[in-house]
Amino acid sequence: MQKLLILFSLIFSIYSPNSAELIRGAFIENDNDYIYSFKSPKLEPNKIWLNRVQSISPKIPVWISEDGNRISIKKGINPSNKTIQITLQSHAINSSDNLLDLNQIQLIGTHNSYHIAPHSSVMNLIRKVMPSQADAIKYSHRPLTEQLELIGMRKFELDIFHDIKGGEYSQPLGAIMAHGIKWRRNYPEFDVDALKNPGMKVLHFPNFDFRSNTPNLIKALHEIEAWSRKNSYHLPIMILIETKNTNEGSTTSSGIFGVKDFVELEKEIKSVLNLSRIITPDEVRGKFSTLNKAIRTKGWPSLYKSRGRFIFALDNQGKELESYLKLHPQLKEALMFVSSPPGRPESAFLKINDPIRNYSTIKKNVAKGYLIRTRADSDLIQFKNVDYKQMQKAFSSGAQYISTDFPSIDNKDSNYSVKWPKGGIGRLNPLFSHSKKMHGTVLEQENFRKLVRVFELKIP
């Protein structure tokens, strides 16, 4: 009996989420990297370990090998502290993750994920000037963490204004007109300090439709990243970026995002997220001559490789797209995918808003290997009429990321909400054939066995 208790205690300590094993060692040097090899406990045949870095000190890029048995850092990185501390979170997930690719599942996310409906006093001002637009912006989203944790959103859409000097959006005219100099009393979420700093600001429309549950891109990414670190088994999260024109603040005279603006945008992304946590065009392209050829031939990374990671995409087309491709021809060394016409060298992701009008187009391009984002609803039309036709078309079209303004029933004016028929976070894409043993697979669940290890590793 005593031996059984000791064995049980050992197993519990290995898999308990509250315990962490401390491992000390040293990297071994090869031509390009410093590498540390390690082993994980054996699992039953239908399980594999998913290893994800939870924290790094000092903060440097770290990679985990595909087989999950090696930690590596690039040579040339010279942190002041020669001992690196890496907390590794490992989850025992289904081995079927290696049978699914990123484009063979479907996920739901929010449209204008930061948006909070204008205050009623400001809404009255909007109705006087743009009555047709007022109803279309009468929706609010929960904070980003709640969207991830409570309602299972796995796609965000952020509108970005580049505020070079800082403070450009810290004194919204509509709020001052509606409430006077003490307008801030009515906006508890308004973060003036964050808005005074230069950088990428997150809002829908300056001065009037300005309310946001996150003031800038840095804070938004920190919030998403913090949740991701704690839940590193999550399905891949798409972050769709739409850059907005501004009369002041952009680096171009036209106010349209230019090359320098995109350089700053990518700097902000990289300041928060380790590059290894982003599924980049370079990774998907691999050794193929173009990204388009890669997704039509090899396809996308496996679900196993994609868990706990992010995929960024640019919503804009036109001149903004031209500027981004000027910065990254064929998306080489780019952080974001772009919605470029099918067949072009850089084309891998498509934004197709209307799944009713473009139903056959979406299905055809999903079958060819493209990753597609579409919408279940727009402009509150489906919400008002409790109309699910567009949602149903979006689901059956095979589009991998589906946007909604109403992911849960938080509004008393309608029972409309967008969720999977059988519940859960994500589902198998109906356009792909899956083996019988895959049916009923729960793609994301909280009760994966977890192992936490802290590595203290010396650099030679």
Side-chain angles (χ1 to χ4, degrees):
M1 177 62 73
Q2 187 175 5
K3 289 183 178 179
L4 285 174
L5 288 173
I6 293 171
L7 179 61
F8 177 78
S9 298
L10 178 61
I11 292 171
F12 181 79
S13 67
I14 289 175
Y15 293 124
S16 170
N18 297 316
S19 65
E21 179 186 3
L22 178 61
I23 300 170
R24 291 187 173 95
F27 285 103
I28 295 174
E29 184 177 359
N30 69 11
D31 291 340
N32 301 309
D33 307 290
Y34 296 116
I35 295 173
Y36 180 80
S37 299
F38 63 96
K39 291 183 179 181
S40 299
K42 284 188 176 181
L43 292 168
E44 52 267 43
N46 65 334
K47 298 288 183 181
I48 51 176
W49 285 113
L50 175 77
N51 299 298
R52 292 292 181 262
V53 174
Q54 190 173 23
S55 64
I56 311 163
S57 180
K59 190 176 179 181
I60 58 172
V62 172
W63 279 265
I64 307 297
S65 62
E66 288 186 16
D67 61 11
N69 292 325
R70 293 188 306 280
I71 298 171
S72 65
I73 60 174
K74 295 291 183 185
K75 292 176 69 173
I77 297 173
N78 296 306
S80 55
N81 189 344
K82 291 296 182 179
T83 298
I84 309 298
Q85 187 176 85
I86 302 165
T87 301
L88 193 67
Q89 197 177 80
S90 303
H91 299 273
I93 64 171
N94 298 324
S95 57
S96 58
D97 264 32
N98 279 318
L99 303 177
L100 286 170
D101 290 342
L102 165 61
N103 62 318
Q104 294 177 331
I105 63 172
Q106 288 184 300
L107 297 162
I108 297 171
T110 45
H111 164 253
N112 290 348
S113 309
Y114 57 87
H115 192 264
I116 300 174
H119 189 281
S120 57
S121 299
V122 176
M123 187 67 87
N124 289 335
L125 296 174
I126 296 172
R127 288 189 189 281
K128 291 178 181 178
V129 181
M130 298 181 294
S132 62
Q133 296 294 318
D135 285 341
I137 57 175
K138 195 179 177 181
Y139 63 93
S140 297
H141 288 304
R142 299 169 183 239
L144 302 180
T145 300
E146 289 187 17
Q147 292 185 45
L148 289 162
E149 183 72 22
L150 301 180
I151 52 178
M153 296 297 96
R154 296 296 179 263
K155 182 197 62 63
F156 292 123
E157 299 183 10
L158 304 176
D159 290 338
I160 302 296
F161 291 81
H162 190 188
D163 182 6
I164 293 177
K165 297 178 181 178
E168 182 68 26
Y169 309 105
S170 62
Q171 298 290 323
L173 178 61
I176 296 170
M177 290 173 63
H179 307 288
I181 59 173
K182 296 183 179 180
W183 62 272
R184 284 185 61 187
R185 293 179 179 178
N186 296 283
Y187 302 92
E189 81 286 345
F190 200 84
D191 190 340
V192 173
D193 292 336
L195 288 168
K196 283 182 178 178
N197 296 324
M200 304 295 160
K201 305 299 166 59
V202 179
L203 66 155
H204 194 224
F205 191 77
N207 292 317
F208 291 92
D209 191 14
F210 59 86
R211 297 186 73 185
S212 174
N213 60 35
T214 185
N216 57 36
L217 180 61
I218 292 285
K219 284 208 167 189
L221 293 178
H222 272 300
E223 184 176 353
I224 297 167
E225 197 265 352
W227 180 89
S228 174
R229 290 283 186 192
K230 294 177 182 177
N231 302 274
S232 56
Y233 53 83
H234 66 75
L235 296 168
I237 296 170
M238 173 176 279
I239 300 177
L240 186 64
I241 300 287
E242 181 177 357
T243 65
K244 292 295 193 82
N245 298 355
T246 176
N247 293 329
E248 296 183 34
S250 173
T251 61
T252 63
S253 58
S254 65
I256 296 173
F257 249 64
V259 171
K260 292 181 180 178
D261 299 293
F262 281 116
V263 169
E264 294 303 314
L265 172 62
E266 291 196 335
K267 280 183 182 178
E268 290 201 3
I269 294 172
K270 287 187 283 190
S271 74
V272 178
L273 292 172
N274 190 311
L275 190 60
S276 64
R277 304 198 65 212
I278 302 172
I279 300 169
T280 64
D282 284 347
E283 177 183 346
V284 176
R285 184 188 305 105
K287 296 181 180 180
F288 285 86
S289 57
T290 69
L291 180 59
N292 186 255
K293 188 173 182 179
I295 60 107
R296 290 186 293 107
T297 307
K298 177 192 66 174
W300 292 81
S302 69
L303 186 56
Y304 175 78
K305 292 181 183 177
S306 303
R307 282 189 186 272
R309 301 177 72 193
F310 303 91
I311 181 166
F312 285 84
L314 180 65
D315 181 279
N316 304 75
Q317 296 173 314
K319 291 184 178 179
E320 294 91 343
L321 174 58
E322 291 175 10
S323 291
Y324 194 64
L325 289 176
K326 185 177 181 181
L327 176 63
H328 296 296
Q330 294 194 29
L331 296 184
K332 293 178 180 178
E333 299 184 353
L335 294 187
M336 298 188 289
F337 292 84
V338 297
S339 184
S340 195
R344 287 179 59 94
E346 71 278 359
S347 182
F349 161 75
L350 301 173
K351 181 195 72 173
I352 304 177
N353 285 332
D354 189 341
I356 294 178
R357 184 178 300 175
N358 300 296
Y359 185 70
S360 60
T361 300
I362 294 175
K363 291 187 71 173
K364 178 180 68 175
N365 284 300
V366 167
K368 288 182 178 180
Y370 290 91
L371 200 67
I372 296 178
R373 171 269 193 193
T374 192
R375 295 185 67 173
D377 45 69
S378 60
D379 298 331
L380 277 72
I381 295 170
Q382 291 75 22
F383 170 78
K384 291 176 182 177
N385 299 317
V386 194
D387 182 357
Y388 287 99
K389 289 193 292 292
Q390 184 167 323
M391 183 197 80
Q392 290 163 353
K393 282 291 188 181
F395 285 3
S396 62
S397 72
Q400 292 89 353
Y401 286 93
I402 298 163
S403 293
T404 179
D405 288 323
F406 300 97
S408 61
I409 302 176
D410 290 337
N411 195 311
K412 296 179 181 179
D413 295 333
S414 174
N415 288 324
Y416 176 85
S417 67
V418 174
K419 55 188 176 183
W420 300 117
K422 295 183 180 180
I425 301 171
R427 71 171 188 176
L428 297 175
N429 195 317
L431 264 60
F432 294 88
S433 59
H434 305 285
S435 63
K436 289 183 179 180
K437 66 180 181 180
M438 292 294 295
H439 293 289
T441 297
V442 178
L443 293 177
E444 186 175 316
Q445 56 193 31
E446 294 182 11
N447 61 347
F448 288 130
R449 282 181 293 171
K450 184 165 73 173
L451 169 64
V452 180
R453 287 166 285 186
V454 178
F455 294 86
E456 289 186 357
L457 306 176
K458 292 184 178 181
I459 297 176

